[in-house]
Amino acid sequence: METVLTRQRTLVHVGRNWTPTSDGRLEMRSNRVNLSDSEQTVALKFSMPVTDVSLTIEDLDRDRGLTRDFQDEVYIPSDAAMFTQHEAGSRVIGRGSPSAPFRAADDVFGDVNGPDYAVTLRWAGPVRAITIGYRQGVLANLSTTPTVWFSPVTFTPPAGS
């Protein structure tokens, strides 16, 4: 069974927005300079329909201060398969839609990889693709690039595959 990851937008940081890390997570970076270019989507496509797809998005942080200004927002595009379940961390708000994306409820800064600033998404399926959007909710003003991490994706392949 083949799994393909694609980016569905011309990205400012081409080649660095969706990067495998040494621990098996995927790193996704946002454009920190231009709010209108910060939005991007990625799709994970399966060669056959799969069930029980699950992943966790970590480090949903924000800082609305005077020296730093950023807000990670994650959502499922309106034309994509919506998750059937989600578990949001205690400091994450939103519904995961473009109009109410998952985002931090308060200011926090750093590699926040604990459960409080994370959301786990599940698709019961069967699905052939999942698509996730990532953007900045404000014009980012940072010396670094806003980033979120996706845990390894798990799924159940069709019987006999």
Side-chain angles (χ1 to χ4, degrees), residues 98-121:
S99 61
F102 292 120
R103 61 198 183 281
D106 55 5
D107 286 354
V108 63
F109 178 65
D111 181 5
V112 186
N113 58 11
D116 290 341
Y117 293 93
V119 62
T120 298
L121 305 177

Side-chain angles (χ1 to χ4, degrees), residues 1-137:
M1 178 151 151
E2 181 182 25
T3 305
V4 178
L5 177 68
T6 60
R7 285 189 291 249
Q8 297 178 321
R9 180 165 167 75
T10 303
L11 303 174
V12 174
H13 302 286
V14 173
R16 297 185 317 161
N17 286 62
W18 188 263
T19 308
T21 63
S22 61
D23 61 1
R25 297 183 299 167
L26 294 171
E27 176 184 68
M28 193 170 175
R29 297 180 180 195
S30 175
N31 181 354
R32 63 186 165 90
V33 178
N34 187 337
L35 185 60
S36 65
D37 283 344
S38 75
E39 189 167 8
Q40 56 191 290
T41 59
V42 292
L44 183 61
K45 298 179 181 180
F46 303 94
S47 61
M48 293 183 271
V50 297
T51 57
D52 303 316
V53 180
S54 178
L55 62 86
T56 299
I57 303 165
E58 300 173 327
D59 195 16
L60 290 171
D61 54 355
R62 81 170 196 192
D63 189 335
R64 302 295 299 272
L66 295 175
T67 57
R68 292 188 304 255
D69 201 14
F70 67 96
Q71 179 173 301
D72 295 328
E73 295 184 348
V74 174
Y75 61 94
I76 304 302
S78 55
D79 60 348
M82 184 54 98
F83 51 83
T84 50
Q85 289 181 307
H86 77 280
E87 294 173 26
S90 63
R91 305 308 307 151
V92 173
I93 59 174
R95 295 186 316 271
S97 66
S99 61
F102 292 120
R103 61 198 183 281
D106 55 5
D107 286 354
V108 63
F109 178 65
D111 181 5
V112 186
N113 58 11
D116 290 341
Y117 293 93
V119 62
T120 298
L121 305 177
R122 292 186 182 87
W123 290 260
V127 295
R128 290 201 66 128
I130 60 171
T131 303
I132 299 170
Y134 173 51
R135 67 184 180 211
Q136 287 300 299

